[in-house]
Amino acid sequence: QALVSASQPAMRLLAAAAIVAALLSHVAAAEGAVQVLNDETFEHLTQASTGSTTGSWLITFSDGCAKCGKLEKALEEINEDLRQAYVIPAKVLLSGGAAVWKRFGISKAPATLLLSKGRLHRYSGPEASSSLLEFATGDLDAGEAVPPPPSFISELLDKFRGLLGMGDKSGEL
């Protein structure tokens, strides 16, 4: 019985080490993948409105179209090159990111944006990995201001308009 009780702390330590190893491997795998952003995670992860993030974000907006697939594949192909240049590759799917699409004025997919140093840069090139990489790591124009996240009041007004059947309107209620 003394042998059993002496091995219990060792077994607990071994189990804890296995759990930590599994968690670390999951985090490492997630860091290497193209990040999927949605309405809930976008601002928290990108810090787009403050520009306080470490590195830049190359973000594609996808609705599942054929061109979107090409763009997503190109993004995956240059994933490591982007990360070495401190650019985080990401995508926002329409199904979970309608508010982000609205915030950035995305009305048609595919669309690609680069958030860098508190500025927004719009990509208009082909769905080729070399062109995306050059855009994300090359010299940038002045860009434009990053639109702020919607306020609580504007979100509430949008929901109210929806309830009234007025749709999504930017004007006054």
Side-chain angles (χ1 to χ4, degrees):
Q1 194 175 35
L3 183 60
V4 171
S5 63
S7 67
Q8 285 179 343
M11 292 299 288
R12 287 184 184 146
L13 184 60
L14 187 59
I19 291 170
V20 168
L23 288 173
L24 288 175
S25 68
H26 177 70
V27 168
E31 286 179 355
V34 172
Q35 181 78 44
V36 179
L37 303 170
N38 60 40
D39 291 339
E40 301 298 318
T41 63
F42 187 88
E43 187 59 35
H44 174 73
L45 292 175
T46 66
Q47 298 292 304
S49 62
T50 64
S52 298
T53 188
T54 55
S56 302
W57 288 79
L58 183 64
I59 304 167
T60 63
F61 290 76
S62 173
D63 65 0
C65 68
K67 278 189 170 184
C68 296
K70 286 181 185 177
L71 196 55
E72 288 179 37
K73 184 178 178 187
L75 199 60
E76 290 170 8
E77 288 173 3
I78 60 171
N79 182 5
E80 287 303 316
D81 294 324
L82 288 170
R83 289 181 184 279
Q84 288 176 5
Y86 300 101
V87 178
I88 301 165
K91 62 183 173 182
V92 178
L93 304 175
L94 179 58
S95 58
V100 177
W101 280 54
K102 178 181 175 187
R103 174 180 174 188
F104 288 94
I106 307 297
S107 58
K108 182 179 172 189
T112 302
L113 305 176
L114 178 69
L115 302 177
S116 181
K117 299 176 183 167
R119 304 297 290 173
L120 164 66
H121 307 272
R122 296 183 187 272
Y123 178 71
S124 59
E127 296 87 25
S129 54
S130 59
S131 298
L132 279 169
L133 185 60
E134 184 178 324
F135 168 72
T137 60
D139 292 331
L140 298 170
D141 59 16
E144 57 189 85
V146 174
S151 69
F152 173 75
I153 297 297
S154 67
E155 288 180 346
L156 190 62
L157 286 172
D158 283 347
K159 287 181 182 183
F160 186 66
R161 286 184 190 104
L163 289 173
L164 293 177
M166 297 173 66
D168 183 21
K169 298 182 182 176
S170 303
E172 294 183 22
L173 184 64

